[in-house]
Amino acid sequence: MSLNSYGHLFRVTTWGESHGPALGATVDGCPPGVPVREEDLQVWLDKRRPGQNKHTTQRNEPDAVEILSGVFEGVTTGTPIQLMIRNTDQRSKDYGDIAETFRPGHADITYWQKYGIRDYRGGGRSSARETAARVAAGGVARAALAQLAPGVSVTGYMVQMGSKKIDRSRFDWDEIGCNDFWCPDPGVVDEWADYLDHLRRKEHNSVGAMIEITVRGAPAGLGAPIYGKLDTDLAAAMMSINAVKGVEIGAGMAAAGLTGRDNADEITMGPDGPEYVSNHAGGILGGISTGQDIVLRFAVKPTSSILTPRRSIRKDGSAMDVVTKGRHDPCVGIRAVPVGEAMAAAVVLDHLLLDRGQTGGARGKIGG
Amino acid sequence: MSLNSYGHLFRVTTWGESHGPALGATVDGCPPGVPVREEDLQVWLDKRRPGQNKHTTQRNEPDAVEILSGVFEGVTTGTPIQLMIRNTDQRSKDYGDIAETFRPGHADITYWQKYGIRDYRGGGRSSARETAARVAAGGVARAALAQLAPGVSVTGYMVQMGSKKIDRSRFDWDEIGCNDFWCPDPGVVDEWADYLDHLRRKEHNSVGAMIEITVRGAPAGLGAPIYGKLDTDLAAAMMSINAVKGVEIGAGMAAAGLTGRDNADEITMGPDGPEYVSNHAGGILGGISTGQDIVLRFAVKPTSSILTPRRSIRKDGSAMDVVTKGRHDPCVGIRAVPVGEAMAAAVVLDHLLLDRGQTGGARGKIGG
Amino acid sequence: MSLNSYGHLFRVTTWGESHGPALGATVDGCPPGVPVREEDLQVWLDKRRPGQNKHTTQRNEPDAVEILSGVFEGVTTGTPIQLMIRNTDQRSKDYGDIAETFRPGHADITYWQKYGIRDYRGGGRSSARETAARVAAGGVARAALAQLAPGVSVTGYMVQMGSKKIDRSRFDWDEIGCNDFWCPDPGVVDEWADYLDHLRRKEHNSVGAMIEITVRGAPAGLGAPIYGKLDTDLAAAMMSINAVKGVEIGAGMAAAGLTGRDNADEITMGPDGPEYVSNHAGGILGGISTGQDIVLRFAVKPTSSILTPRRSIRKDGSAMDVVTKGRHDPCVGIRAVPVGEAMAAAVVLDHLLLDRGQTGGARGKIGG
Amino acid sequence: MSLNSYGHLFRVTTWGESHGPALGATVDGCPPGVPVREEDLQVWLDKRRPGQNKHTTQRNEPDAVEILSGVFEGVTTGTPIQLMIRNTDQRSKDYGDIAETFRPGHADITYWQKYGIRDYRGGGRSSARETAARVAAGGVARAALAQLAPGVSVTGYMVQMGSKKIDRSRFDWDEIGCNDFWCPDPGVVDEWADYLDHLRRKEHNSVGAMIEITVRGAPAGLGAPIYGKLDTDLAAAMMSINAVKGVEIGAGMAAAGLTGRDNADEITMGPDGPEYVSNHAGGILGGISTGQDIVLRFAVKPTSSILTPRRSIRKDGSAMDVVTKGRHDPCVGIRAVPVGEAMAAAVVLDHLLLDRGQTGGARGKIGG
């Protein structure tokens, strides 16, 4: 049992702190024979990398991933894959003055209370920088999915930033990669840019966001009862990401307001198998995938590090005002998109492997 | 790795189907010396038991729990505790006609697709009846908490049923146990009762609900980084409950709409340690408890089994209309309250044990 | 993580004490569609059951196993299988006088020191009676093996009892089931019977034994590096059995005395694939099966409960002599045979499932 | 579940191949506040390092360990510790000619059969070079033990090499570190040196060995029932080491030949608690430590890589003779001593943490 790991058969353990020499992920359980190259993983790391546009932190890390084990002559061997990312832009002097203070909204105080030890440099282990390792591991998961289940795609995007939401009638998959917000609605992008710019420069403030992840092409039958449920694992995966405060599947929290008649996803028989008239279930029934799109959302709280003073205390209990300088994202939700994708890819791959191990070819047939 | 288990050191594995001879929970890792009697567990089972009032299913199960192991002369021995509940009211003939059909919103179709085997009697393993075993295990967790951390309390209540929400200005802890809905707002109870009665009798419909769980008195320092986070484990615990479609901590999904200035929980120094001006964090920062109330909510979808016909298919692919007779709750959210409490109690106990094992007495001090 | 469980995907958790109401095994991860009936499991339980011949304890337990979950209409459903065995012959008055004393060679003193609680009735949880649950779970594993890998057989037998060893030149597979000792050498059976009879009746003594388990027909490729090695898991499985003090694979402890030249298992190409000139490796290289017979041995210490007085102390520290009455096996090794078989079957099945999940069809070919 | 990990709360995952860029260990669950410096770990790595004397491989690796995470300002923070060892002397051309052949006694053939992929450079993942990572992790375990349980010591030594055994009457703890064999008997060292030299140079042969590990000063009460037994975990730990074919505790395999009267470890009351007249149990009863010395032994097979030709086959099935050049230890048992120590230290620390988490202060008292 590792408290820094996730996954059953595809098992990832991340390590490293914001300002240590390096961070990374130990990836165990990747099947053999999967083509994995550093440059393939780098694509996903670059998507998360800071300093990519004016809306993210200007910390300038190359985030170059090195594969130290588990890959030989370009393909996985079935043994643990070590992915290491060197920290190069460790301006820890930005943090020297917070060694004795606790920043509100950060884990500074709870890490101190728990461990009696604190790596104050940029939050140490609790820094969102840890998610770079998850993105690298997610790249391995994507590579394995590409081989084992070629039709599966995992796509994340922002559907809300602060008070601004997308208009779903304008939803465009192709737009997602074309703007700074991974936003599928081209009609709101300019407005979002102005809004965020104003918040950061004028208001010295930050804002939360809602991310949606859609997994298309996953087969029916992934998941397992009770605690190995696909939705349980997806919820845990998303909630484990820094700053996430809520996660929902399909109709999600809104299901509390629905009636059974409205919520029912009626079933019909299509040419290739069962089809559903709607997808309130988010592609998961009883913890097991239906074959529909798997749809989930998670809420990311606003960046706690802002220039506006907030009241706090020092280790000695004395009062002080915290003004967090340093280089921070005004909306951490933007960079949470590739992180959520990486976690979803890892969970889906994990359940593909589990399903293969546990049920073999025992599948029930529907239709003639 | 068991896919039917939860917890790290306090490890619960549930077993059993809706209409088999019995169901239960194997509880491993309960510390020795905890007083546990069948009648203490029965209190919690009775809270969840069907047929308690007119708003829940009229299936009449005594749900009597038997302790088969792990307790000697009234106290736990440190060895596995087997909790068994006999099924006595197995009217499985209610289900005979669904053996070849798939009820919309149920796991009938996904279990069939995954396993190629289906226990059609009342959903088999996917039935919410499984949660009786969790409630029994939660009773053990509560007993251990009472001994190890006497100030901790875990309380669940409904804050929304369909379109009806509570008015938080009338929130009354003492009201929770006094009505059929575990509702803390005495001002809405009659309205809720009429609403649900109408839905069930006149509309042949059902409705979703939102449950909130508050853990009071938990010490600071529970949790661990990344995947052993307290909020990760709570989210997984709630999402693993049947019919749950979303879970949130503190400000939750609403955090997406907040700014950093509003979301900051400012810190002051109180007589007994740090105090917080607000609790958007829901008592958890960086995955570790702050010592504030731990507050979470989860959404339960409306009961899928309704008398209103819904379109579906048979195993052979032919179309049919499903009208679910049998004895069903019009709002499964009501009985989800003690289940959510049980899961939360298990998670908190688990993290108390983990914390004891991993950090020992290494706690950081704050203040003089 | 459960400390009362074994297996990765085929995961067994046992529960229960010697003199409680019942004991059993929660079996998770058995594939769906495997025919399992109570009478099939009973065969193996009867093999281990006390009172079967004059050389085992005369405690008379029917050891009737009940399947409480996970099997529907005669086949497994893929959900947890609960196997329960009622204790019926609980003559715990035999043990009343040991409540305050510690029997040498038993876990009485260590359980007391660890837990501060002690179920003194027949050793409570530390009683070898717990192994009945493992034998039942092993029956499920055998049933699954019969379906997934029909050629695999798991056979245990005694190769040494005290100072008496078998003569391997007389080894006869068919003899194993025909005598009271699961002994493959017909030439020693009468001598062993006299020896054991004399030890028990005249000497008031007991004796140790060596059990060998051979798994025939297991495919090459089962196992995994480092800690999921097939030999690691087999060693843990055997060492976890009560009274076992050592375990070895292939040449085993004798490998310490061999040279590399003698120990090499040279490889040739046979009509169906690689063949080995010898089997010092015991069918496992680098933690992975070779396709040869998997051969292991484990040593069972002599029964600690004997009529000959042994010095010990009471809880209060005062000295006393222990004379263990009650009904005890003079050689617990005899009944350890079916237990070892059950554990080996569980490990092999577990690795078959793991292999299916982790490597799929990626197997390397040898030969044209 | 990682198949490359060991430990429950103190959880180590190793990664890396013989001839990749690096190998290492991800150590999770080390308590916070433990002083750990690279030079402290290096002491143990140097003990295992090749090329230290003429009896070990002349591969010349500095085996310098780098701490990449989890340690801040010289002490552990409670977060994962990444230990990396760069491979510098990767003469993989030594191995080019074995890419298509299978060396007898090595995992070449089973890795190929399992994964269909093979890192042929020095055995890849199956190389004993992986144990360097375990030794580094063991150094962390020793540091934590030094703080949590200062009286505990873990010492390994060779008691047999091939046909040569020590004379226990000459056993001298202080001698162990003074010779090339970690041998506690000064009277055999010269003979062993000549014997091994002759085997290697003249015979082109290798030889097996028996290692004994003694843990002194461990408290009573470590361990847990059934599968979390201290002896189960020790057996698995040792069997997981490359080339180990057997493991035994206390009297071990010889227990099969003892009677109950001889095997009984009688108990008396000493000034500081219970004392035992003998230690056939090896310090463990019912899976839980007694407070006596914990004594175990494991057998290491002779090095399979020898200059004497052995028959084998190529991937295409054709016959050939293998003569393993390269730089190999004539007795891998020598360098297995620090590996066994490292594993034992990890297991004992793990159980100290587990015990703290699971039983807290519930200990039973003996005596007034």
Side-chain angles (χ1 to χ4, degrees), chain C residues 210-233:
Chain C
M210 185 83 75
I211 316 299
E212 186 168 283
I213 308 275
T214 298
V215 180
R216 289 174 288 178
L222 304 186
I226 310 313
Y227 224 66
K229 286 179 171 178
L230 186 57
D231 36 4
T232 300
D233 283 354

mmCIF file of all heavy atoms in Angstrom, chain C residues 210-233:
data_model
loop_
_atom_site.group_PDB
_atom_site.id
_atom_site.type_symbol
_atom_site.label_atom_id
_atom_site.label_comp_id
_atom_site.label_asym_id
_atom_site.label_seq_id
_atom_site.Cartn_x
_atom_site.Cartn_y
_atom_site.Cartn_z
ATOM 1 N N MET C 210 7.787 -33.115 6.611
ATOM 2 C CA MET C 210 8.113 -32.358 5.400
ATOM 3 C C MET C 210 7.075 -32.702 4.330
ATOM 4 O O MET C 210 6.857 -33.882 4.033
ATOM 5 C CB MET C 210 9.497 -32.751 4.897
ATOM 6 C CG MET C 210 9.974 -31.938 3.721
ATOM 7 S SD MET C 210 10.706 -30.390 4.237
ATOM 8 C CE MET C 210 12.287 -30.967 4.866
ATOM 9 N N ILE C 211 6.469 -31.664 3.768
ATOM 10 C CA ILE C 211 5.453 -31.837 2.728
ATOM 11 C C ILE C 211 6.037 -31.350 1.406
ATOM 12 O O ILE C 211 6.726 -30.330 1.364
ATOM 13 C CB ILE C 211 4.202 -30.981 3.025
ATOM 14 C CG1 ILE C 211 3.788 -31.058 4.495
ATOM 15 C CG2 ILE C 211 3.058 -31.330 2.086
ATOM 16 C CD1 ILE C 211 3.418 -32.409 4.976
ATOM 17 N N GLU C 212 5.752 -32.077 0.358
ATOM 18 C CA GLU C 212 6.141 -31.614 -0.969
ATOM 19 C C GLU C 212 4.885 -31.376 -1.794
ATOM 20 O O GLU C 212 3.938 -32.148 -1.711
ATOM 21 C CB GLU C 212 7.038 -32.658 -1.658
ATOM 22 C CG GLU C 212 7.615 -32.220 -3.002
ATOM 23 C CD GLU C 212 8.719 -33.168 -3.493
ATOM 24 O OE1 GLU C 212 9.851 -33.099 -2.986
ATOM 25 O OE2 GLU C 212 8.417 -33.998 -4.374
ATOM 26 N N ILE C 213 4.908 -30.306 -2.579
ATOM 27 C CA ILE C 213 3.785 -30.016 -3.483
ATOM 28 C C ILE C 213 4.340 -29.979 -4.898
ATOM 29 O O ILE C 213 5.340 -29.309 -5.159
ATOM 30 C CB ILE C 213 3.151 -28.641 -3.186
ATOM 31 C CG1 ILE C 213 2.790 -28.471 -1.704
ATOM 32 C CG2 ILE C 213 1.959 -28.383 -4.104
ATOM 33 C CD1 ILE C 213 1.462 -29.012 -1.291
ATOM 34 N N THR C 214 3.680 -30.688 -5.792
ATOM 35 C CA THR C 214 4.063 -30.628 -7.206
ATOM 36 C C THR C 214 2.890 -30.105 -8.032
ATOM 37 O O THR C 214 1.779 -30.625 -7.927
ATOM 38 C CB THR C 214 4.480 -32.015 -7.722
ATOM 39 O OG1 THR C 214 5.628 -32.455 -6.994
ATOM 40 C CG2 THR C 214 4.838 -31.953 -9.207
ATOM 41 N N VAL C 215 3.164 -29.067 -8.789
ATOM 42 C CA VAL C 215 2.158 -28.549 -9.720
ATOM 43 C C VAL C 215 2.567 -28.995 -11.114
ATOM 44 O O VAL C 215 3.632 -28.620 -11.611
ATOM 45 C CB VAL C 215 2.082 -27.012 -9.665
ATOM 46 C CG1 VAL C 215 1.025 -26.494 -10.637
ATOM 47 C CG2 VAL C 215 1.812 -26.532 -8.250
ATOM 48 N N ARG C 216 1.745 -29.856 -11.716
ATOM 49 C CA ARG C 216 2.042 -30.347 -13.063
ATOM 50 C C ARG C 216 1.151 -29.647 -14.088
ATOM 51 O O ARG C 216 -0.006 -29.356 -13.807
ATOM 52 C CB ARG C 216 1.818 -31.854 -13.116
ATOM 53 C CG ARG C 216 2.892 -32.631 -12.345
ATOM 54 C CD ARG C 216 2.578 -34.116 -12.274
ATOM 55 N NE ARG C 216 1.463 -34.370 -11.363
ATOM 56 C CZ ARG C 216 0.944 -35.577 -11.138
ATOM 57 N NH1 ARG C 216 1.435 -36.637 -11.771
ATOM 58 N NH2 ARG C 216 -0.059 -35.728 -10.302
ATOM 59 N N GLY C 217 1.717 -29.364 -15.227
ATOM 60 C CA GLY C 217 0.905 -28.820 -16.323
ATOM 61 C C GLY C 217 0.749 -27.313 -16.346
ATOM 62 O O GLY C 217 0.015 -26.789 -17.184
ATOM 63 N N ALA C 218 1.427 -26.611 -15.445
ATOM 64 C CA ALA C 218 1.326 -25.143 -15.489
ATOM 65 C C ALA C 218 2.113 -24.623 -16.685
ATOM 66 O O ALA C 218 3.224 -25.089 -16.951
ATOM 67 C CB ALA C 218 1.842 -24.528 -14.198
ATOM 68 N N PRO C 219 1.552 -23.664 -17.399
ATOM 69 C CA PRO C 219 2.247 -23.144 -18.577
ATOM 70 C C PRO C 219 3.478 -22.324 -18.193
ATOM 71 O O PRO C 219 3.591 -21.858 -17.059
ATOM 72 C CB PRO C 219 1.199 -22.241 -19.228
ATOM 73 C CG PRO C 219 0.310 -21.834 -18.104
ATOM 74 C CD PRO C 219 0.274 -23.017 -17.167
ATOM 75 N N ALA C 220 4.384 -22.145 -19.141
ATOM 76 C CA ALA C 220 5.480 -21.207 -18.954
ATOM 77 C C ALA C 220 4.925 -19.793 -18.917
ATOM 78 O O ALA C 220 3.902 -19.503 -19.527
ATOM 79 C CB ALA C 220 6.482 -21.338 -20.089
ATOM 80 N N GLY C 221 5.598 -18.919 -18.161
ATOM 81 C CA GLY C 221 5.242 -17.497 -18.208
ATOM 82 C C GLY C 221 4.450 -16.981 -17.031
ATOM 83 O O GLY C 221 4.099 -15.812 -16.984
ATOM 84 N N LEU C 222 4.174 -17.832 -16.044
ATOM 85 C CA LEU C 222 3.460 -17.349 -14.856
ATOM 86 C C LEU C 222 4.455 -16.754 -13.864
ATOM 87 O O LEU C 222 5.461 -17.372 -13.545
ATOM 88 C CB LEU C 222 2.697 -18.480 -14.176
ATOM 89 C CG LEU C 222 1.702 -19.242 -15.038
ATOM 90 C CD1 LEU C 222 0.928 -20.224 -14.175
ATOM 91 C CD2 LEU C 222 0.755 -18.276 -15.738
ATOM 92 N N GLY C 223 4.132 -15.591 -13.352
ATOM 93 C CA GLY C 223 5.014 -14.931 -12.408
ATOM 94 C C GLY C 223 5.302 -13.526 -12.867
ATOM 95 O O GLY C 223 4.768 -13.069 -13.880
ATOM 96 N N ALA C 224 6.146 -12.857 -12.126
ATOM 97 C CA ALA C 224 6.448 -11.473 -12.451
ATOM 98 C C ALA C 224 7.698 -11.094 -11.695
ATOM 99 O O ALA C 224 8.092 -11.773 -10.754
ATOM 100 C CB ALA C 224 5.279 -10.581 -12.046
ATOM 101 N N PRO C 225 8.353 -9.995 -12.089
ATOM 102 C CA PRO C 225 9.628 -9.676 -11.447
ATOM 103 C C PRO C 225 9.485 -9.293 -9.967
ATOM 104 O O PRO C 225 8.460 -8.821 -9.539
ATOM 105 C CB PRO C 225 10.130 -8.467 -12.241
ATOM 106 C CG PRO C 225 9.410 -8.511 -13.523
ATOM 107 C CD PRO C 225 8.064 -9.104 -13.197
ATOM 108 N N ILE C 226 10.532 -9.471 -9.263
ATOM 109 C CA ILE C 226 10.818 -8.922 -7.932
ATOM 110 C C ILE C 226 9.890 -9.424 -6.821
ATOM 111 O O ILE C 226 10.230 -10.325 -6.116
ATOM 112 C CB ILE C 226 10.819 -7.371 -7.947
ATOM 113 C CG1 ILE C 226 11.714 -6.873 -9.080
ATOM 114 C CG2 ILE C 226 11.308 -6.813 -6.617
ATOM 115 C CD1 ILE C 226 13.059 -7.531 -9.160
ATOM 116 N N TYR C 227 8.719 -8.835 -6.666
ATOM 117 C CA TYR C 227 7.940 -9.220 -5.505
ATOM 118 C C TYR C 227 6.642 -9.910 -5.885
ATOM 119 O O TYR C 227 5.913 -10.404 -5.051
ATOM 120 C CB TYR C 227 7.674 -8.003 -4.623
ATOM 121 C CG TYR C 227 7.896 -8.318 -3.171
ATOM 122 C CD1 TYR C 227 9.168 -8.624 -2.715
ATOM 123 C CD2 TYR C 227 6.842 -8.350 -2.268
ATOM 124 C CE1 TYR C 227 9.385 -8.942 -1.381
ATOM 125 C CE2 TYR C 227 7.060 -8.670 -0.939
ATOM 126 C CZ TYR C 227 8.327 -8.962 -0.510
ATOM 127 O OH TYR C 227 8.530 -9.280 0.811
ATOM 128 N N GLY C 228 6.346 -9.926 -7.157
ATOM 129 C CA GLY C 228 5.219 -10.689 -7.637
ATOM 130 C C GLY C 228 5.719 -11.982 -8.264
ATOM 131 O O GLY C 228 5.019 -12.618 -9.030
ATOM 132 N N LYS C 229 6.938 -12.384 -7.887
ATOM 133 C CA LYS C 229 7.503 -13.637 -8.394
ATOM 134 C C LYS C 229 6.634 -14.816 -7.991
ATOM 135 O O LYS C 229 6.091 -14.843 -6.876
ATOM 136 C CB LYS C 229 8.897 -13.854 -7.806
ATOM 137 C CG LYS C 229 9.958 -12.953 -8.398
ATOM 138 C CD LYS C 229 11.317 -13.223 -7.743
ATOM 139 C CE LYS C 229 12.413 -12.476 -8.490
ATOM 140 N NZ LYS C 229 13.736 -12.660 -7.874
ATOM 141 N N LEU C 230 6.584 -15.808 -8.850
ATOM 142 C CA LEU C 230 5.818 -16.996 -8.510
ATOM 143 C C LEU C 230 6.405 -17.677 -7.281
ATOM 144 O O LEU C 230 5.671 -18.128 -6.386
ATOM 145 C CB LEU C 230 5.818 -17.955 -9.710
ATOM 146 C CG LEU C 230 4.947 -19.186 -9.601
ATOM 147 C CD1 LEU C 230 3.492 -18.822 -9.335
ATOM 148 C CD2 LEU C 230 5.038 -20.006 -10.897
ATOM 149 N N ASP C 231 7.724 -17.723 -7.173
ATOM 150 C CA ASP C 231 8.317 -18.388 -6.007
ATOM 151 C C ASP C 231 8.164 -17.555 -4.738
ATOM 152 O O ASP C 231 7.983 -18.095 -3.652
ATOM 153 C CB ASP C 231 9.781 -18.792 -6.235
ATOM 154 C CG ASP C 231 10.579 -17.832 -7.068
ATOM 155 O OD1 ASP C 231 10.040 -16.779 -7.447
ATOM 156 O OD2 ASP C 231 11.758 -18.111 -7.344
ATOM 157 N N THR C 232 8.203 -16.221 -4.874
ATOM 158 C CA THR C 232 7.939 -15.368 -3.710
ATOM 159 C C THR C 232 6.540 -15.637 -3.171
ATOM 160 O O THR C 232 6.346 -15.826 -1.962
ATOM 161 C CB THR C 232 8.045 -13.879 -4.108
ATOM 162 O OG1 THR C 232 9.356 -13.616 -4.606
ATOM 163 C CG2 THR C 232 7.777 -12.978 -2.920
ATOM 164 N N ASP C 233 5.586 -15.668 -4.059
ATOM 165 C CA ASP C 233 4.204 -15.864 -3.623
ATOM 166 C C ASP C 233 3.981 -17.270 -3.074
ATOM 167 O O ASP C 233 3.230 -17.455 -2.108
ATOM 168 C CB ASP C 233 3.244 -15.583 -4.792
ATOM 169 C CG ASP C 233 3.071 -14.087 -5.024
ATOM 170 O OD1 ASP C 233 3.588 -13.293 -4.223
ATOM 171 O OD2 ASP C 233 2.414 -13.715 -6.003
#
